[in-house]
Amino acid sequence: MKKSIAIVFLSLFVIGCEEYSITDLITQESPKIVVMTQDLIAIENHNDGMVRRNLEYNSKDKGKIAVDPNYFNQNDINRGDVIYYKTPKIDNNKYPQLNPPEYNIARVIALPGEEIEIKKGKVYVNDKRLDTFYGKALSWGLEEEEYFKTVNKPGSAQCGDSCLKTMKEYFNMGMDKVKVPEGHLFVMGDTWWRSIDSQIFGPLPVATIKGKVLGYAGN
């Protein structure tokens, strides 16, 4: 009898997880080193919207980035893909201090036809929590508790009252629900507050994608 109850409970738990969250067990946190071929291009990326604790995707620290400009001619775009794209026009009246690069990289978070929103620093797609390493607000790869422990260590740059307020708001930020139109994607950098992405210019037209980011360009 106890065994039967346990099996029922486990089944309900699994069903509940499937119903209330979306997972991505394929996408890796750390980019790999890619052997370059004539079909790939190597680009410089000096924006830190995708930088995590190991300074990922930053050419200054890690070298050039390998991009496959033909990848999506033969393959579907998937959640978790890191893409290289031409930055859409940004409203200068709303964001007068932004000077975005002509081309940028970010991660695909939501696909055409899906609805995305952010509640208390967590991403929801079609009302299901995106339970992945890129589905929550991070700063340099750190979650809220770890971030404040790190910045307030002796010898570290201290986070004062103003910083504390700003970062707490960031880690618990929200975004109203957005439906991604056909022919578009919702993209975000892994460090949201440093990224110029769909939070600013809205859903990204698929036509602006120049290729898939494969990792660091090797020899």
Side-chain angles (χ1 to χ4, degrees):
M1 180 68 177
K2 289 183 179 180
K3 185 176 180 180
S4 299
I5 293 173
I7 292 173
V8 170
F9 177 80
L10 180 59
S11 300
L12 290 173
F13 177 77
V14 171
I15 292 171
C17 289
E18 291 176 347
E19 182 179 0
Y20 295 113
S21 68
I22 297 175
T23 58
D24 176 359
L25 303 178
I26 299 174
T27 304
Q28 302 296 310
E29 291 191 44
S30 298
K32 61 184 180 181
I33 297 176
V34 177
V35 177
M36 297 300 289
T37 67
Q38 62 181 6
D39 298 323
L40 306 180
I41 60 174
I43 59 104
E44 295 270 353
N45 181 61
H46 297 287
N47 303 294
D48 52 16
M50 283 294 293
V51 168
R52 299 167 65 83
R53 70 180 72 194
N54 294 316
L55 304 178
E56 287 85 347
Y57 300 104
N58 191 308
S59 293
K60 178 181 177 182
D61 298 282
K62 299 291 186 178
K64 291 185 177 181
I65 308 298
V67 175
D68 185 347
N70 301 307
Y71 184 88
F72 294 122
N73 293 336
Q74 293 86 30
N75 300 276
D76 293 332
I77 301 173
N78 293 299
R79 195 185 330 278
D81 286 348
V82 178
I83 59 171
Y84 178 58
Y85 60 91
K86 185 171 184 179
T87 308
K89 184 176 177 57
I90 289 175
D91 187 342
N92 291 328
N93 293 322
K94 189 174 182 181
Y95 302 102
Q97 297 180 333
L98 288 184
N99 183 27
E102 183 178 5
Y103 295 92
N104 204 352
I105 65 174
R107 190 180 300 280
V108 176
I109 306 296
L111 302 169
E114 293 183 333
E115 292 183 326
I116 178 173
E117 65 182 318
I118 300 175
K119 297 186 290 187
K120 294 185 177 181
K122 292 181 173 58
V123 174
Y124 290 79
V125 177
N126 291 343
D127 297 319
K128 297 178 181 180
R129 187 165 70 84
L130 181 56
D131 186 17
T132 68
F133 70 89
Y134 56 83
K136 53 195 170 188
L138 301 171
S139 185
W140 310 121
L142 305 177
E143 296 187 47
E144 182 177 7
E145 183 177 354
E146 187 178 5
Y147 173 82
F148 286 119
K149 283 182 179 178
T150 300
V151 297
N152 287 324
K153 283 181 179 178
S156 302
Q158 299 295 299
C159 188
D161 291 342
S162 178
C163 163
L164 184 68
K165 181 176 183 295
T166 298
M167 293 307 294
K168 277 192 170 295
E169 289 176 352
Y170 164 67
F171 281 114
N172 294 276
M173 66 174 280
M175 183 189 76
D176 291 340
K177 187 177 289 186
V178 174
K179 183 163 186 177
V180 183
E182 290 300 320
H184 292 71
L185 303 165
F186 199 95
V187 300
M188 296 176 70
D190 287 352
T191 299
W192 299 351
W193 68 283
R194 299 289 295 179
S195 179
I196 299 175
D197 53 31
S198 289
Q199 301 171 92
I200 293 171
F201 52 69
L204 177 76
V206 171
T208 65
I209 297 175
K210 300 302 177 184
K212 179 177 178 178
V213 175
L214 303 182
Y216 306 123
N219 296 326

